[in-house]
Amino acid sequence: MPELPEVETIVRGLRKLVTGKEITEIISHRSGTISEERSETGEYGRITGIRRRGKYLLIDTDIQITIMIHLRMTGKLIFDKTEAGSQHLRAEIRFSDKTLLIFDDVRTFGKIIVMDSGKDVEHLSFLGPEPLETDFNEHYLSEKIKGRKAPVKNILLDQRIVAGLGNIYVVEILHRAGISPEREGGLLTRKEINLIIEKTREVLQEAISCNGTTISDYRSVDDKSGEFQNFLRVYGKEKCKCGAEIKKIKQAGRTSYFCPNCQK
DNA sequence: ATTGCTTCCTGAGCGC
DNA sequence: TGCGCTCAGGAAGCAA
């Protein structure tokens, strides 16, 4: 499940591998994976940069094309010379030097959109601030959360509130903050809001330095696993460090884990 | 405006 | 061995 730290790791890996390469072809191996939203179709150009916004990965080229990729749950980008290593090939980006960027995705939810540069801003305008930037702060979050009846867990998963958090990290952040995922968002105190922001930064930064979390499918571009799964404190666990049983519940269709002793 | 349910999809894991 | 079932979940779309 690539969330912000995993996408960030992939972006950093890709930058080293494909910056400067000329894209000759983008091939779809499954309908619905790629959508072309350019005003004119034609060449793609040479890669000038790779960026991330939330869980979206953006590839920019020198002829003002942006390729926006969302990996959803099982999407992977694999850099190689052949497609042989791909079990679930959905698309590929071919370069003039005969290397490839393979888009492999078991569950086929991932998407690639080819668009004119600048259009990405409109596409992504719904996203909330980046959790590691200063505009994700107490003032912002308390305004957004004010009067909300939904559980804090659901609010933090909402990409319009803050961009890039997914199930695993929200579960870990709330555990570190000592806040139950079932708490009503609008009733959180100032202190708790600050704690959420602080722990969000802490967890994400640790996860990025671990190259992400590999539970099942996630791999970086060079096919390496992340390491942060070794530091998870509640997600997928049965017992908390304090000795109490971890509770497992469903919220908004996703599994929440929390310690009733440490999280109030 | 907000909330919550359903949908998309495949593979792993389980009980029988 | 193999069948059928449940579960995993990000985000869009829709209904209340």
Side-chain angles (χ1 to χ4, degrees):
Chain A
M1 295 152 247
E3 305 179 33
L4 187 152
E6 291 75 38
V7 179
E8 182 63 29
T9 302
I10 292 167
V11 164
R12 291 178 185 185
L14 267 188
R15 267 189 201 129
K16 292 183 197 158
L17 292 168
V18 303
T19 303
K21 286 191 193 288
E22 188 190 0
I23 299 171
T24 50
E25 248 183 316
I26 301 183
I27 301 167
S28 172
H29 291 280
R30 180 187 179 274
S31 68
T33 296
I34 300 180
S35 44
E36 271 274 0
E37 294 184 8
R38 289 189 286 175
S39 47
E40 306 168 28
T41 52
E43 297 185 346
Y44 299 97
R46 201 172 280 278
I47 296 177
T48 52
I50 322 267
R51 297 175 284 141
R52 179 191 61 74
R53 176 79 175 95
K55 300 175 201 172
Y56 293 82
L57 185 146
L58 300 148
I59 300 174
D60 298 306
T61 76
D62 62 355
I63 58 164
Q64 314 314 313
I65 304 287
T66 295
I67 302 163
M68 191 168 96
I69 303 177
H70 198 303
L71 302 167
R72 293 287 189 102
M73 281 129 55
T74 53
K76 287 185 224 177
L77 290 172
I78 308 162
F79 179 74
D80 214 333
K81 291 194 165 72
T82 141
E83 303 95 332
S86 174
Q87 301 286 306
H88 309 280
L89 183 65
R90 305 303 179 204
E92 59 188 296
I93 297 175
R94 294 193 177 175
F95 302 112
S96 59
D97 65 0
K98 306 292 176 198
T99 56
L100 307 167
L101 188 61
I102 296 158
F103 183 68
D104 178 291
D105 187 13
V106 177
R107 270 174 270 185
T108 74
F109 291 175
K111 293 274 178 292
I112 298 177
I113 307 176
V114 182
M115 61 184 77
D116 298 314
S117 292
K119 286 281 180 193
D120 53 297
V121 179
E122 292 165 38
H123 265 277
L124 303 178
S125 62
F126 73 98
L127 287 174
E130 286 291 320
L132 295 174
E133 300 291 330
T134 53
D135 52 350
F136 181 60
N137 53 39
E138 183 207 316
H139 175 73
Y140 168 81
L141 190 56
S142 49
E143 278 300 310
K144 278 286 175 186
I145 218 169
K146 196 161 60 180
R148 296 280 302 262
K149 295 255 182 233
V152 60
K153 165 83 186 301
N154 301 17
I155 291 172
L156 293 175
L157 280 176
D158 187 339
Q159 303 300 299
R160 295 169 297 184
I161 304 284
V162 56
L165 303 183
N167 199 41
I168 297 174
Y169 292 112
V170 170
V171 162
E172 290 295 315
I173 288 162
L174 289 173
H175 181 259
R176 290 201 191 190
I179 298 167
S180 162
E182 292 183 295
R183 285 280 299 285
E184 184 177 324
L187 298 181
L188 292 173
T189 65
R190 228 176 119 133
K191 198 178 162 191
E192 287 171 325
I193 287 174
N194 276 312
L195 212 47
I196 287 173
I197 292 165
E198 182 193 321
K199 296 302 176 187
T200 297
R201 299 213 166 104
E202 184 184 292
V203 168
L204 294 178
Q205 270 154 0
E206 285 179 27
I208 289 171
S209 47
C210 286
N211 295 319
T213 303
T214 297
I215 296 287
S216 55
D217 293 288
Y218 164 72
R219 294 289 184 283
S220 57
V221 194
D222 47 11
D223 205 32
K224 288 202 181 92
S225 303
E227 297 298 333
F228 193 68
Q229 64 278 10
N230 303 321
F231 302 97
L232 297 174
R233 298 182 190 176
V234 266
Y235 185 88
K237 307 285 179 196
E238 289 185 356
K239 261 203 173 11
C240 181
K241 209 167 52 180
C242 78
E245 294 277 336
I246 302 277
K247 270 199 166 184
K248 190 177 167 184
I249 59 170
K250 279 272 182 199
Q251 291 181 288
R254 270 159 277 169
T255 318
S256 292
Y257 295 84
F258 70 102
C259 171
N261 183 42
C262 301
Q263 294 172 260
K264 303 290 181 191

